[in-house]
Amino acid sequence: IRAYLNHRGISDEVITYCISHEILYESVPYHNAVFVGKDESGKARYAFLRGIYEKNGKGFKMEQTGSEKKYSFCIPPERETKRVVVYEACIDALEEFLKNHPEIKEIEICTDNDFAGRWAKEQMKKHYEGTYQIICNLPEKEGADYADLAKEKKQTNKCRDRPLERR
């Protein structure tokens, strides 16, 4: 899964962190990336499987039967914070998370910059404005998502790392 996630622009540091905290692993025998959501006590309550091989441009994706969406995949902060960052894939868990974390004062919305992402952003903004400070942080490029940005950044960094050729 490391090669697949690296290709998607996710750093080794983040992958290692997730594996060491048992919120990411590779399934056997199908080699899916499994993203685990845990409850407040650390018990696994949710799993999302993502195939690392694509067939005809489509990869395997599914939630494990019996998963509870309110405990979806989350990378917890390493220290106290007043901000939660929400990406489109985990919107369902936001309400539950906020209920259990009264110290949160800001919500940073990081949905895709497509119709569905902008609609989700507006719905969350309407729902939480007044209670929380809302920060909207969508990709600048129309239609882009954060996976696209991570891939672009990785490509840009690769280009910078190449030595200059003499002519």
Side-chain angles (χ1 to χ4, degrees), residues 119-138:
W119 183 86
K121 173 198 68 152
E122 288 304 319
Q123 298 308 306
M124 284 191 285
K125 200 170 155 187
K126 276 187 217 171
H127 187 77
Y128 294 109
E129 228 165 17
T131 308
Y132 298 93
Q133 180 183 350
I134 304 298
I135 299 137
C136 298
N137 190 6
L138 279 61

Side-chain angles (χ1 to χ4, degrees), residues 25-146:
Y25 66 91
E26 184 172 343
S27 71
V28 176
Y30 299 107
H31 304 288
N32 295 306
V34 181
F35 299 89
V36 178
K38 296 182 176 186
D39 64 18
E40 294 293 322
S41 69
K43 180 180 177 190
R45 304 282 292 269
Y46 175 87
F48 180 81
L49 288 72
R50 174 67 162 94
I52 61 174
Y53 305 109
E54 293 191 3
K55 186 175 183 178
N56 302 326
K58 293 191 176 199
F60 172 77
K61 298 177 188 175
M62 76 168 259
E63 288 181 333
Q64 181 62 48
T65 305
S67 287
E68 298 176 63
K69 273 190 186 231
K70 68 181 182 180
Y71 299 109
S72 66
F73 179 76
C74 173
I75 299 176
E78 293 183 327
R79 61 186 182 285
E80 190 176 309
T81 182
K82 295 189 181 338
R83 180 182 293 183
V84 62
V85 180
V86 180
Y87 291 84
E88 197 164 348
C90 65
I91 291 169
D92 294 334
L94 180 60
E95 194 75 41
E96 185 68 21
F97 181 83
L98 291 172
K99 190 168 56 177
N100 292 316
H101 293 276
E103 72 278 9
I104 299 297
K105 305 294 181 214
E106 302 172 347
I107 298 174
E108 184 174 352
I109 302 172
C110 301
T111 56
D112 297 347
N113 191 358
D114 58 11
F115 177 81
R118 289 188 301 270
W119 183 86
K121 173 198 68 152
E122 288 304 319
Q123 298 308 306
M124 284 191 285
K125 200 170 155 187
K126 276 187 217 171
H127 187 77
Y128 294 109
E129 228 165 17
T131 308
Y132 298 93
Q133 180 183 350
I134 304 298
I135 299 137
C136 298
N137 190 6
L138 279 61
E140 288 182 28
K141 195 160 122 187
E142 171 79 25
D145 64 28
Y146 280 89

Side-chain angles (χ1 to χ4, degrees), residues 1-19 24 35 75 146-147 150-151 153-154 157:
I1 61 171
R2 189 173 294 275
Y4 169 76
L5 294 172
N6 282 157
H7 175 73
R8 298 287 309 255
I10 299 169
S11 72
D12 276 327
E13 181 183 10
V14 170
I15 296 166
T16 299
Y17 178 89
C18 290
I19 291 170
L24 172 65
F35 299 89
I75 299 176
Y146 280 89
K151 284 187 225 174
K153 185 175 181 181
K154 187 172 177 83
N157 288 342

